[in-house]
């Protein structure tokens, strides 16, 4: 039993009960992805839930590829899934399995069912099977082939296996109850003929098990105790139990369902993400606007933030959407104390300090993170010409604007007070240059307190700053407008990506490597893009804004 005494979710309570009653003497969970796409934040929830339970109860955790459907699967996805699961912190060590390795056992289970008289070969077509199945209000009716002898069934199933039938010509069905109120129990198909090459077993098989038959067998073979899945399988649970029982697994697994994770303003289903990738709407499965694990990682999310998010969301029994802002909250909280706060100017305008001596340069000591005393100061070059944010200057400011305007004095962060004396504009009236004077007495850290200023703005030295590309992201879809249109297409946000080509960042970012992240003061958290950054072209992804976010003026 777990030692934690905090409030327990319903899955933990079920497990506690099983252990107390001696149904199981240990806990063994698994994460069973189908390798038909990249993992997303919803999968992260399932991974961390299953892995977390195995840790909590000092049990085991398997990663199992549910690769029983050769039509949709691809080995490319296997590698991405393995690395994503590891990156999230769910260590599976050698407990890595492929359901296709169990095809022989599954086949033996099918033979067992036939021999017990609870499975039969059916000649009805898929359409006829559907028709015979009935509806929620109308019971189904028995297939005319339902009462074939065991011998005949064995022979026909053997022929299915040996390739004597074309796809769809015959199926193997469980013989349960065509009048069951649960449609899943109306003699479900458990094997189909499918002449397709499988990435693992090649052309060894031309019959493949159906999910509802294969899954409980996979769990049972691996000794899984608690097979945790999402709510849509609740109605399949009686079938899951039927398979475990009729295949005579001793101390077999049990299924427990929880609600899927949904996020507001986010495209989450694998199918939909795949479509965005295939249509070229996004730059691959790891486009930072997606919520695949690969995308979140590229964007600058950390495993800790995702772990914390999953914890905050909790485990529920009914479906609901979680506010995307909660995920953002988690990454902000994670980065807040860990990351240095650097200066970057995204929409630069030049500021010239007229009374700063020509040719002079200083290296200022600027704290990396005032909230974290363990982080030391860094040296930041300062000079006569700087860049500041365009929005930190106004010719005619509204009330309560405390930043730079003609005649006003502000603090340059970590440096000096400057007073705006003049500015220049182009023909269209756009400000091109700001002129200031500085007061050498006011240097940060000098203890100067003869007068105060209300605004502090950030800057970078024009002579030293590095040019960088910065990518700002917004939600890919807008729920208020409806994510999906009537024709099934998606309502995409045209502003989901803004590319700034000419941002300036302080030169301390020169050595930044892929996945490194920083706070850009007053701007947000940013991460070095792992795909497009090169030795002489830095690309930053905005992970998340600060609470009060800076908005780039619309061009
Ligand atoms: P999708 O709905 O995105 O197509 P899937 O369920 O088809 O995903 P699988 O590879 O079959 O993807 O899922 C592996 C595991 O992840 C399953 O146990 C599934 O229940 C779980 N899972 C999938 N989506 C979510 C989600 N949104 N929240 C929680 N768990 C999920
Ligand atoms: Mg699936």
């Amino acid at each position: 039993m777990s030692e934690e005494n905090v409030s327990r979710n319903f899955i933990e309570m079920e497990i506690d009960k099983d252990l107390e009653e001696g149904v199981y003497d240990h806990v063994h969970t698994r994460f069973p992805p189908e390798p038909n796409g990249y993992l997303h934040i919803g999968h992260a929830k399932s991974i961390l839930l299953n892995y977390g339970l195995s840790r909590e109860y000092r049990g085991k955790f398997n990663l199992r590829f549910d690769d029983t459907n050769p039509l949709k699967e691809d080995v490319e996805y296997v590698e991405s899934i393995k690395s994503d699961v590891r990156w999230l912190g769910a260590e599976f060590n050698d407990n890595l399995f492929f359901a296709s390795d169990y095809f022989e056992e599954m086949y033996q289970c099918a033979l067992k069912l036939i021999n017990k008289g609870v499975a039969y070969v059916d000649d009805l077509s898929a359409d006829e099977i559907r028709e015979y199945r009935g509806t929620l209000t109308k019971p189904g009716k028995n297939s005319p082939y339902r009462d074939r002898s065991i011998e005949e069934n064995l022979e026909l199933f053997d022929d299915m296996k040996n390739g004597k039938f074309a796809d769809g010509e015959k199926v193997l069905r469980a013989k349960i109850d065509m009048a069951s109120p649960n449609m899943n129990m109306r003699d479900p198909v458990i094997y189909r003929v499918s002449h397709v090459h499988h990435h693992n077993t090649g052309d060894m098989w031309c019959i493949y098990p159906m999910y509802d038959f294969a899954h409980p067998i996979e769990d049972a073979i691996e000794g899984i105790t608690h097979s945790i899945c999402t709510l849509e399988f609740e109605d399949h649970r009686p079938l899951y139990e039927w398979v475990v029982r009729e295949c005579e697994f001793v101390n077999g697994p049990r299924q427990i369902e929880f609600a899927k994770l949904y996020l507001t303003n986010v495209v989450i289903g694998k199918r939909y993400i795949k479509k965005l990738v295939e249509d070229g709407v996004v730059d691959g499965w790891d486009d930072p606007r997606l919520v695949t694990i690969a995308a979140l990682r590229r964007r600058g999310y950390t495993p800790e933030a995702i772990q914390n998010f999953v914890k905050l969301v909790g485990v529920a029994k009914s479906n609901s959407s979680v506010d995307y802002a909660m995920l953002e909250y988690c990454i902000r909280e994670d980065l807040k104390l860990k990351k240095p706060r650097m200066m970057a100017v995204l929409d630069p305008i030049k500021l010239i300090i007229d009374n700063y001596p020509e040719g002079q340069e200083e290296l200022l000591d600027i704290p990396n993170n005032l909230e974290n005393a363990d982080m030391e100061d860094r040296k930041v070059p300062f000079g006569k010409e700087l860049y500041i944010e365009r929005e930190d200057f106004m010719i005619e400011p509204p009330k309560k604007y405390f930043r730079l305007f003609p005649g006003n004095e502000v603090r340059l962060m970590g440096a000096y007070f400057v007073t705006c004396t003049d500015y220049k504009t182009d023909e269209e009236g756009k400000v091109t240059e700001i002129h200031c004077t500085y007061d050498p007495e006011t240097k940060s850290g000098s203890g100067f307190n003869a007068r105060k200023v209300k605004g502090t703005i950030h800057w970078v030295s024009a002579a030293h700053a590095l040019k960088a590309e910065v990518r700002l992201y917004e939600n890919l879809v807008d729920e208020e407008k409806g994510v999906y249109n009537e024709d099934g297409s998606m309502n995409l946000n045209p502003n989901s990506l803004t590319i700034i080509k000419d941002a300036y960042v302080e030169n301390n970012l020169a050595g930044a490597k892929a996945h490194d992240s920083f706070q850009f003061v007053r701007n947000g958290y940013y991460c070095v893009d792992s795909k497009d950054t090169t030795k002489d072209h830095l690309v930053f992804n905005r992970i998340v804004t600060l609470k009060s976010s800076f908005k780039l003026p619309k061009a």
Side-chain angles (χ1 to χ4, degrees), residues 11-12 15 24 26-32 46-64 90-92 95-97 215 218-219 222-229 240 253-254 256:
I11 298 181
E12 292 168 318
I15 297 178
Y24 302 106
H26 68 291
V27 171
H28 196 159
T29 57
R30 86 292 173 260
F31 173 66
S46 174
I47 293 164
L48 294 169
L49 170 65
N50 279 290
Y51 177 74
L53 289 168
S54 80
R55 294 301 86 197
E56 182 183 343
Y57 291 94
R58 299 203 174 85
K60 288 189 192 152
F61 169 74
N62 291 2
L63 172 61
R64 179 207 311 143
E91 191 39 69
F92 48 88
N95 295 333
L96 170 65
F97 301 98
H215 202 81
E218 294 159 23
D219 285 340
E222 290 174 15
I224 300 304
T225 55
H226 298 84
S227 176
I228 295 162
C229 65
Y240 185 98
R254 66 170 287 207
I256 303 177

Side-chain angles (χ1 to χ4, degrees), residues 161-414:
K161 177 181 176 245
N162 293 327
K164 294 210 178 137
F165 301 116
D167 293 6
E169 205 178 326
K170 294 216 175 354
V171 291
L172 185 71
R173 299 178 70 175
K175 193 191 266 189
I176 308 179
D177 178 6
M178 288 306 290
S180 170
N182 184 335
M183 301 283 286
N184 296 303
M185 300 298 271
R186 295 186 186 172
D187 290 12
V189 174
I190 57 178
Y191 257 98
R192 67 191 190 287
V193 176
S194 189
H195 293 268
V196 231
H197 189 82
H198 188 280
H199 72 90
N200 183 21
T201 54
D203 297 312
M204 185 144 74
W205 298 92
C206 63
I207 51 171
Y208 290 96
M210 303 300 287
Y211 180 86
D212 279 341
F213 177 65
H215 202 81
I217 297 176
E218 294 159 23
D219 285 340
I221 290 172
E222 290 174 15
I224 300 304
T225 55
H226 298 84
S227 176
I228 295 162
C229 65
T230 42
L231 227 47
E232 71 272 23
F233 291 101
E234 194 170 15
D235 290 343
H236 298 239
R237 193 192 325 136
L239 179 53
Y240 185 98
E241 290 168 352
W242 185 93
V243 173
V244 170
R245 190 174 64 244
E246 292 297 333
C247 294
E248 298 171 22
F249 286 105
V250 181
N251 213 4
R254 66 170 287 207
Q255 175 179 307
I256 303 177
E257 310 86 17
F258 72 100
K260 267 195 175 178
L261 170 69
Y262 294 102
L263 277 176
T264 57
N265 294 322
V266 152
V267 180
I268 210 172
K270 224 188 292 185
R271 197 152 59 91
Y272 299 106
I273 296 177
K274 195 174 200 163
K275 187 159 169 18
L276 291 172
V277 174
E278 280 167 358
D279 293 352
V281 173
V282 293
D283 160 35
W285 285 92
D286 62 354
D287 185 296
R289 290 167 292 176
L290 296 174
V291 286
T292 58
I293 307 300
L296 289 167
R297 175 166 183 226
R298 180 172 167 200
R299 175 103 174 234
Y301 272 79
T302 59
E304 293 79 8
I306 297 173
Q307 288 159 5
N308 195 36
F309 171 70
V310 164
K311 217 177 275 173
L312 280 178
V313 169
V315 199
K317 252 187 194 169
S318 59
N319 284 321
S320 64
S321 275
V322 175
D323 194 338
Y324 183 78
M326 190 150 140
L327 187 60
E328 296 191 318
Y329 166 84
C330 290
I331 187 63
R332 256 188 224 111
E333 283 301 297
D334 186 49
L335 300 179
K336 196 162 73 182
L337 301 182
K338 286 186 193 164
K339 298 299 171 183
R341 300 177 179 181
M342 317 289 263
M343 292 196 281
V345 175
L346 303 196
D347 186 18
I349 181 168
K350 191 163 267 180
L351 181 150
I352 298 159
I353 305 172
D354 291 321
N355 64 339
Y356 194 84
E358 199 71 51
Q360 181 170 308
E361 269 178 27
E362 291 175 75
L363 274 179
L364 304 176
D365 287 309
I366 296 193
N368 272 321
N369 189 329
L370 278 174
E371 290 181 78
N372 180 349
D374 292 340
M375 289 189 112
E376 289 163 7
D377 290 358
R378 69 180 185 287
K379 303 271 185 208
V380 182
F382 182 84
K384 188 177 175 75
E385 295 198 357
L386 311 172
Y387 289 112
I388 64 166
E389 293 297 350
R390 180 169 291 277
E391 68 148 32
D392 283 340
F393 174 78
M394 286 186 99
I395 301 170
E396 287 170 37
K399 265 199 188 133
K400 298 213 174 144
Y401 184 88
F402 300 121
R403 289 170 274 168
L404 213 50
F405 53 88
N408 193 41
E409 186 173 47
V410 298
R411 175 186 291 287
L412 292 173
M413 192 176 284

Side-chain angles (χ1 to χ4, degrees), residues 399-438:
K399 265 199 188 133
K400 298 213 174 144
Y401 184 88
F402 300 121
R403 289 170 274 168
L404 213 50
F405 53 88
N408 193 41
E409 186 173 47
V410 298
R411 175 186 291 287
L412 292 173
M413 192 176 284
Y416 299 94
F417 288 7
V418 289
T419 303
C420 175
T421 52
D422 196 9
Y423 63 90
K424 295 210 166 85
T425 57
D426 62 15
E427 299 97 75
E428 276 122 52
K430 191 174 174 193
V431 180
T432 52
E433 186 173 296
I434 302 164
H435 287 264
C436 289
T437 54
Y438 87 121

